């Protein structure tokens, strides 16, 4: 008779610890700005040691980058879900824009991604994370619209940057109490 072991592998324990750190940090970084949170608070919320934190992340900034990456990925998932395969390019762009604002309405997310991320990580790293997620989704949508003749052939990189910046500014304005309808 073979007895099943309830012991978890080192990888399982490591993945669980890393996920706990990211979840705890996310909760704290959504609640208050990056600069107001210390590593003791993060590890206490995660229920792990500081050694565990530094085993998985070089420093608080690296943990913050992991949180920003996860949040940016969540925004991209919402945008991509809004336009199933086969959606007309113009409809996909409109649905994606609405989905972006829905995703950014998650409490604290706008500040985390659009204010704290560039301040704590630097503009280049925050932009690189965005480009891996929602900006690449936007770029794909714009490319599809250009190929379909819905939009004139414009330089894709600058067009993506301009529209992304406009959406980000609108998200900040909405966060500050502006009208989403406007």
């Amino acid at each position: 008779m073979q007895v099943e072991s309830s012991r978890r592998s080192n990888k399982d324990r490591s993945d669980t610890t890393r996920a706990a750190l990211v979840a705890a940090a996310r909760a704290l970084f959504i609640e208050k700005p990056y600069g107001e949170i210390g590593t003791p608070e993060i590890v206490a919320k995660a229920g792990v040691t500081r050694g565990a934190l530094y085993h998985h992340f070089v420093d608080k900034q690296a943990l913050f980058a992991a949180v920003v990456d996860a949040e940016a990925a969540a925004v991209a998932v919402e945008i991509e879900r809004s336009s199933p395969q086969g959606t007309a390019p113009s409809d996909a762009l409109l649905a994606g824009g609405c989905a972006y604002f829905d995703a950014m309405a998650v409490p604290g997310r706008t500040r985390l991604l659009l204010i704290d991320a560039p301040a704590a990580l630097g503009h280049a790293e925050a932009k690189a994370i965005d480009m891996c997620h929602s900006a690449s989704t936007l770029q794909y949508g714009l490319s599809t619209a250009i190929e379909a003749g819905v939009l004139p052939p414009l330089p894709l990189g600058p067009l993506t940057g301009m529209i992304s910046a406009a959406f980000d500014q609108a998200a900040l304005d909405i966060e500050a109490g502006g009208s989403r309808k406007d």
Side-chain angles (χ1 to χ4, degrees):
M1 179 175 172
Q2 190 174 12
V3 177
E4 285 189 37
S5 174
S6 63
R7 295 177 57 191
R8 296 182 322 159
S9 71
N10 283 341
K11 181 177 180 346
D12 287 343
R13 286 192 305 273
S14 181
D15 290 349
T16 299
T17 300
R18 188 178 201 290
L21 284 162
V22 171
R26 180 200 179 279
L28 291 168
F29 290 133
I30 292 291
E31 186 180 303
K32 50 190 176 178
Y34 173 84
E36 293 180 16
I37 299 164
T39 56
E41 189 176 4
I42 295 168
V43 297
K45 186 159 188 77
V48 302
T49 65
R50 285 184 77 177
L53 169 69
Y54 293 117
H55 173 75
H56 292 280
F57 300 98
V58 173
D59 55 17
K60 180 178 98 169
Q61 187 178 29
L63 173 57
F64 181 71
V67 170
V68 168
D69 187 69
E71 287 296 302
V75 172
V77 165
E78 292 303 314
I79 293 168
E80 290 165 9
R81 281 186 188 152
S82 73
S83 304
Q85 196 73 357
T87 303
S90 57
D91 293 340
L93 286 171
L94 291 172
C98 290
Y100 173 79
F101 292 128
D102 290 344
M104 293 303 282
V106 169
R109 187 176 272 167
T110 299
R111 190 197 71 241
L112 177 76
L113 293 176
L114 303 181
I115 297 171
D116 291 352
L121 302 175
H123 178 72
E125 186 171 352
K127 184 176 178 179
I129 291 171
D130 183 46
M131 195 57 202
C132 286
H133 299 294
S134 58
S136 67
T137 300
L138 174 60
Q139 187 166 351
Y140 174 77
L142 292 170
S143 173
T144 302
I146 290 169
E147 289 169 12
V150 173
L151 292 175
L154 297 166
L156 197 52
L159 179 63
T160 301
M162 288 173 47
I163 292 175
S164 181
F167 271 90
D168 290 349
Q169 185 60 54
L172 288 165
D173 290 349
I174 292 165
E175 176 80 11
S179 167
R180 179 173 168 169
K181 183 181 176 204
D182 291 345

